[in-house]
Amino acid sequence: MSIKIQNVKGTKDILPANSQLWLETESIIHNFMSLHGYKLIRTPIFEKTELFNRTIGEDTDIVTKEMYTWTDVDGTSLTLRPELTASVVRSFVQNNLQAKSPLHRLYYIDSSFRRERPQKGRQRQFTQYGIEALGSIHPEQDVEVILIAYRIYEMLGVKDLEVHVNSIGSKDSRTNYVNALRDYLMPYKNDLSEISQNRLHSNALRILDSKSDKDKKVLENAPKIFDFLTKEDVKNFNKIQSLLTELDIPFISDSNLVRGLDYYNGMTFEIVSSSIGAQSALCGGGRYDKLVEYLGGKPTPAVGFAAGLERLMLILNDSMSEANNMIDIYIISMDDKSISSSLKIADKIRNTHGIKVVCETLRRSMKAQLREANKLNAQFVIIIGEEEIAAGEVIIKNMEDSSQINAPIDSVENYFGVDYEYK
Ligand code: AMP
């Protein structure tokens, strides 16, 4: 008896109709990172649970309810990574990278896993790309990180981009601010949403992130983090803003922007686009100067961002061009015997020019093969049959203008040049 098994809720297959776009976008990201001097790092898909519990924060949504965690046979608690920063820093420390250079520019493209409620742009397995710049405490480094995040979207033509930037200061200014925020909110406790009421004690800063109108109203007159920053924090933040202006990166200074994860300090930023609906956050990041030390490394300031690839794909999908799915040549075999000759011709053309050539292997009728060539958007078809083989010639047909010529079978590859045009 057969059994039909479905994929796991919140996961998605990337099917051939889409995979080309994925490959191209990933390749753009790889090139873009390399252009800025960033090097790829790959870490394992799972880590000891403690790594995430201790770095992301015990009272965050990720740690309390979204991680895929299990106990291994030896009793170790393991977790599928819900994000990559903790893993990258773990690896940085473990492999003693800081001893090799004062500055490391690292990037990744990999899967992350969170047991969230799936919806458009939100999955349980999703792909993140991001960078971690480890070593510089200076605002130029913050700006380089924001610049890379922003320019990728700009280059890919993403519309309605908004860059939100904030500074949540050093740990001490943050502690003072959280106390002041809590004191302010306490009298309004019953006016807050249930989730914010729960956060009042465990993670009051997160209330600023709330999307609830009730909470927004209460927050209107709340103390602002900016008033709690040290002089040095303010100086840094001002420098970041002036550099962004010089680089023509439009931004909104947004005092309510706090990042959900515990390890951030100083600059935080987020890039959103209203063109992807409710899950409008494309990318988020900021500084995390204490994390390396916290994970046992030498004190190393760091700044980075993480961006969701699926959300970017939602936008690019809409603008995907036909060209992505084009092949150069389809070889039509008029009879079964000539298929073997078509395999040889295809092999020769691909090896000579590195262009996309597809042969018939289903032994279909000529009409069906022509239909297939059209479906694949072939620019040319080569037609071969017993008669052609006997005459030592094939027919090359230009699918755009329907013109055709005969070409010698032994040197058909010479009829295609670098521009994919036959002579
Ligand atoms: P975060 O670490 O939560 O700031 O996530 C960074 C980026 O990853 C977000 O801005 C999203 O683009 C993406 N992202 C986070 N969670 C998900 C998810 N469940 N599904 C798809 N993308 C996500």
Side-chain angles (χ1 to χ4, degrees), residues 93 98 291-298:
V93 172
Q98 66 245 80
L291 189 59
V292 175
E293 196 179 350
Y294 184 65
L295 289 177
K298 277 212 230 90

Side-chain angles (χ1 to χ4, degrees), residues 62 83 114 116 121-124 126-128 259 261 270 281-284 306-311:
I62 295 182
E83 52 108 50
R114 295 183 196 171
E116 295 191 82
R122 192 159 72 196
Q123 296 177 195
R124 291 184 170 176
F126 56 101
T127 315
Q128 287 188 316
R259 303 272 306 140
L261 314 184
E270 196 160 70
L282 284 171
C283 132
L309 207 49
E310 283 77 8
R311 291 190 193 170

Side-chain angles (χ1 to χ4, degrees), residues 274-290:
S274 50
S275 55
I276 47 171
Q279 296 303 310
S280 62
L282 284 171
C283 132
R287 209 163 244 294
Y288 50 95
D289 291 334
K290 300 285 176 219

Side-chain angles (χ1 to χ4, degrees), residues 280-333:
S280 62
L282 284 171
C283 132
R287 209 163 244 294
Y288 50 95
D289 291 334
K290 300 285 176 219
L291 189 59
V292 175
E293 196 179 350
Y294 184 65
L295 289 177
K298 277 212 230 90
T300 308
V303 52
F305 74 77
L309 207 49
E310 283 77 8
R311 291 190 193 170
L312 177 58
M313 288 300 161
L314 283 176
I315 299 171
L316 297 182
N317 241 345
D318 291 342
S319 58
M320 181 178 168
S321 73
E322 284 282 292
N324 281 329
N325 276 331
M326 220 173 215
I327 64 159
D328 298 300
I329 303 168
Y330 192 92
I331 307 190
I332 291 179
S333 304

